């Protein structure tokens, strides 16, 4: 058994025993009550699922196994030869085991993912059969689903698998999937925007560095650092967001990791969720086009924001279902830009937006969180390094998000989590309930 699997097994078994004991003693304890506004309002805030890898505080933002983003930037190993940004491999180790990895653990995981990164031939053929202008998220989803033929969970389940062992092939599927995703994503990028001129992997590089290399956007070393940071920041945001929850819901039916992740990616592809990263830059490009300058004034940005709102549209990259402060993932990207990038019109537009948009949204009197989220900044950084094809941005998000949701799926299997099945009601039921209870 490999070292990560061994550690995961040890932690998961201990947590399983603890969870069962808590459940036995406190199973009837009330942890939440549901208001009608939550039943009608997208179940906001209802404490209804267990998810181990990260937790979101409305004020403070995301913590991965208790560590904030600034702490992770200090504590996770970086690339050899002077890298300064955390390696996503380290975050995956942390999410799966609850322990910070050593340098050696992270190098080992990079090697593992290299060895597991071969994509089935039929997946490439499947991609090649799609029209080249198919949205990259659709291509990505189809590619992930097509690799289901290699699921170890599906095979072992069909052969007859003891439920205490569900976690084992799920771990194998998760590791294989994550290992392959950068190659799949780079293949989609190069076929969609660079005439299928593919770039061979550089096996001397780590997972994120090699992904940056295969995308072929630029040889600039800072680009690799950005991709490592990007893949770390987008990995997880507790369990209730649409991509994580969809992955967990589909996984709870014992659909394997490929099918579960494909479902989660479809949720990520919605404009209120992950697709917001493409919507932001599309909106910024249109603003620059409409105003006629790449250096708009604050007043020009305000006017454009007000026009967007007057047209009944949302301001992409702003607002959040849980957060009530600027997203620390936005802040981390702003710090990256401050450190690595001297002057950039597109980044300045994003920063000026941060100065004026929150007050406009507050003025509407209904927006619960007027602050920027992760998607407000990411596109400007990508454009700066030369990746202007914004339809691809959500695929980058998806490669990263796979780490969180697949670690979450491994935990769900190890803890024996059951089929999800919340209760729905009809409006007639609600009216009757209100009549009988008011
Ligand atoms: N611009 C304009 N109006 C906004 C807004 C924004 N950025 N954010 C919220 N509102 C509006 C809502 O549309 C809603 O209006 P109605 O009552 O007329 O329907 C009202 O304010 C209350 O919404 P809320 O309670 O503050 O926010 P929700 O929890 O319902 O929705 C969203 C959260 C993220 C979907 C929302 O803020 C939004 O649409 N933002 C823009 C899209 C976006 O950036 N999405 C990415 C979010 C982060 C993420 O998942 N990344 O992957």
């Amino acid at each position: 058994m490999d070292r990560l699997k061994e550690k995961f097994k040890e932690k998961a078994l201990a947590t399983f025993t603890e969870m069962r004991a808590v459940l036995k003693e406190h199973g009837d304890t009330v942890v939440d009550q549901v208001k009608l506004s939550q039943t009608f309002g997208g179940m906001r805030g209802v404490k209804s699922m267990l998810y181990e890898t990260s937790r979101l505080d409305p004020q403070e933002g995301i913590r991965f196994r208790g560590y904030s983003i600034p702490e992770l930037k200090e504590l996770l190993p970086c690339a050899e030869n002077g890298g300064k940004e955390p390696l996503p491999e380290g975050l995956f180790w942390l999410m799966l085991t609850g322990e910070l990895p050593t340098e050696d653990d992270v190098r080992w995981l990079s090697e593992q993912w290299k060895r597991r990164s071969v994509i089935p031939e039929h997946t490439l053929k499947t991609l090649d059969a799609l029209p080249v202008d198919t949205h990259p998220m659709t291509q990505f989803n189809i590619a992930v689903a097509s690799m289901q033929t290699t699921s170890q969970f599906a095979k072992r389940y069909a052969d007859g698998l003891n439920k205490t062992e569900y976690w084992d092939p799920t771990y194998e599927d998760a590791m294989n999937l994550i290992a392959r995703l950068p190659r799949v994503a780079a293949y989609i990028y190069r076929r969609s925007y660079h005439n299928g001129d593919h770039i061979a992997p550089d096996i001397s590089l780590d997972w994120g560095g090699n992904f940056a290399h295969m995308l072929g956007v630029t040889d600039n070393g800072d680009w690799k650092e950005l991709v490592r940071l990007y893949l770390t920041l987008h990995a997880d945001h507790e369990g209730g967001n649409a991509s994580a929850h969809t992955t967990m819901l589909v996984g709870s039916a014992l659909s394997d990791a490929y099918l579960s992740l494909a479902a989660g990616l479809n949720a990520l592809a919605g404009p209120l969720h992950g697709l917001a990263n493409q919507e932001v830059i599309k909106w910024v490009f249109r603003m620059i086009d409409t105003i006629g300058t790449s250096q708009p004034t604050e007043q020009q940005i305000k006017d454009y924001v007000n026009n967007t709102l007057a047209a009944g549209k949302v301001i992409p990259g702003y607002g959040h279902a849980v957060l009530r402060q600027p997203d620390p993932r936005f802040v981390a990207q702003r710090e990256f830009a401050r450190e690595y990038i001297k002057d950039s019109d597109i980044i300045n537009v994003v920063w000026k937006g941060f100065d004026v948009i929150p007050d406009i949204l507050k003025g509407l009197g209904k927006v619960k969180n007027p602050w920027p989220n992760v998607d407000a900044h990411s596109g400007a950084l990508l454009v700066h390094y030369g990746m202007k094809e914004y339809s691809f941005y959500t695929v980058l998000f998806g490669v990263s998000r796979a780490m969180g949701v697949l670690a979450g799926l491994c935990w769900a299997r190890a803890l024996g989590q059951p089929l999800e099945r919340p209760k729905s009601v009809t409006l007639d039921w609600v009216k009757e309930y209100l009549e009988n209870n008011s």
Side-chain angles (χ1 to χ4, degrees):
M1 190 178 290
D2 75 50
R3 65 164 94 172
L4 178 57
K5 195 172 180 181
E6 185 86 50
K7 191 165 269 300
F8 170 58
K9 183 182 179 191
E10 176 199 317
K11 295 277 176 182
L13 280 178
T15 309
F16 177 77
T17 309
E18 200 183 351
M19 186 200 74
R20 284 291 160 108
V22 170
L23 190 60
K24 195 166 173 215
E25 202 179 332
H26 302 285
D28 289 329
T29 303
V30 175
V31 292
D32 213 347
Q33 288 181 325
V34 182
K35 292 184 198 155
L36 191 55
S37 60
Q38 292 171 300
T39 304
F40 283 11
M43 298 184 279
R44 292 288 181 287
V46 180
K47 294 186 190 70
S48 56
M49 61 188 293
L50 188 71
Y51 189 80
E52 288 292 294
T53 49
S54 66
R55 198 164 76 80
L56 183 58
D57 179 85
Q59 305 300 326
E60 201 189 40
I62 191 69
R63 278 186 181 266
F64 300 86
R65 295 285 188 172
Y67 295 99
S68 67
I69 287 169
E71 286 166 351
L72 289 182
K73 284 195 68 175
E74 287 297 313
L75 295 168
L76 288 181
C78 303
E80 279 163 331
N81 304 324
K84 287 196 277 187
E85 302 305 324
L87 289 177
E89 288 92 325
L91 180 62
F92 182 73
W93 183 289
L94 174 68
M95 288 191 293
L96 199 66
T97 67
E99 285 181 14
L100 287 167
T102 62
E103 290 271 345
D104 188 58
D105 291 332
V106 163
R107 309 285 168 237
W108 172 85
L109 189 51
S110 281
E111 275 309 308
Q112 271 290 314
W113 285 353
K114 252 171 243 172
R115 277 194 224 151
R116 292 170 183 256
S117 65
V118 180
I119 305 169
E121 196 55 39
H122 70 262
T123 294
L124 302 180
K125 284 192 183 140
T126 303
L127 284 172
D128 286 339
L130 294 170
V132 80
D133 60 354
T134 307
H135 192 283
M137 273 307 271
T138 309
Q139 297 190 48
F140 194 40
N141 174 268
I142 288 169
V144 168
S146 80
M147 293 192 287
Q148 194 266 347
T149 50
T150 65
S151 169
Q152 295 197 20
F153 180 88
K155 183 175 182 316
R156 285 181 57 188
Y157 190 86
D159 291 345
L161 182 63
N162 187 310
K163 59 162 74 168
T164 59
E165 288 171 33
Y166 286 172
W167 65 272
D168 183 316
T170 301
Y171 168 88
E172 297 298 335
D173 283 352
M175 290 282 279
N176 290 339
L177 247 171
I178 295 168
R180 294 171 185 169
L181 292 180
R183 284 201 188 183
V184 171
Y187 192 88
I188 293 167
Y189 180 69
R190 301 297 301 182
R191 84 177 284 269
S192 297
Y193 307 111
H194 294 274
N195 301 319
D197 177 15
H198 298 292
I199 298 173
D202 178 345
I203 54 159
S204 72
L205 288 166
D206 52 280
W207 185 70
N210 184 38
F211 185 26
H213 159 78
M214 289 187 293
L215 289 167
V217 172
T218 164
D219 288 337
N220 184 329
D222 296 353
W223 162 246
K224 292 194 180 66
E225 285 290 84
L226 174 68
V227 172
R228 291 173 182 125
L229 177 69
Y230 188 109
L231 294 172
T232 302
L233 292 179
H234 289 76
D236 211 27
H237 220 222
E238 77 172 25
N241 67 76
S243 52
H245 187 201
T246 306
T247 306
M248 303 309 285
L249 168 63
V250 173
S252 83
L254 293 186
S255 305
D256 60 60
Y258 294 83
L259 299 177
S260 304
L261 178 66
L265 290 173
N266 280 335
L268 193 71
L272 295 187
H273 189 20
L275 201 81
N277 63 5
Q278 85 162 39
E279 295 302 295
V280 167
I281 217 68
K282 206 160 115 186
W283 181 80
V284 170
F285 281 161
R286 278 202 190 133
M287 170 166 61
I288 288 171
D289 239 30
T290 309
I291 298 172
T293 169
S294 61
Q295 299 175 330
T297 63
E298 286 196 356
Q299 189 54 48
Q300 285 173 316
I301 296 178
K302 278 185 194 170
D303 293 343
Y304 196 78
V305 168
N306 284 322
N307 286 341
T308 303
L309 293 171
K313 299 182 204 162
V314 294
I315 307 301
Y318 280 76
H320 201 272
V322 180
L323 281 170
R324 295 296 176 257
Q325 290 289 332
D327 191 332
R329 300 170 299 174
F330 174 89
V331 176
Q333 294 179 80
R334 192 179 51 170
E335 279 167 13
F336 182 94
R338 282 189 178 138
E339 187 174 344
Y340 290 84
I341 298 166
K342 288 283 158 287
D343 200 22
S344 150
D345 281 356
I346 190 101
I347 288 171
N348 287 336
V349 172
V350 168
W351 291 359
K352 268 191 197 167
F354 181 39
D355 290 336
V356 302
I357 294 170
D359 277 345
I360 299 177
L361 292 180
K362 280 181 208 164
L364 295 179
K366 62 173 184 179
V367 180
K368 295 196 190 65
N369 177 40
W371 302 109
N373 58 55
V374 64
D375 303 313
H377 209 306
S378 53
L381 286 166
L382 298 170
V383 169
H384 173 80
Y385 286 104
M387 183 185 267
K388 298 195 173 77
E389 303 91 352
Y390 51 72
S391 302
F392 185 73
Y393 292 177
T394 315
V395 176
L396 292 176
F397 195 155
V399 172
S400 172
R401 182 51 56 95
M403 286 191 295
V405 300
L406 291 175
L409 192 65
C410 289
W411 272 92
R413 293 278 196 266
L415 298 181
Q417 287 186 357
L419 181 69
E420 275 193 37
R421 186 33 172 115
K423 176 83 187 115
S424 65
V425 291
T426 62
L427 187 56
D428 279 343
W429 180 92
V430 170
K431 288 193 289 189
E432 203 179 314
Y433 181 86
L434 293 174
E435 257 173 48
N436 295 335
N437 290 278
S438 52

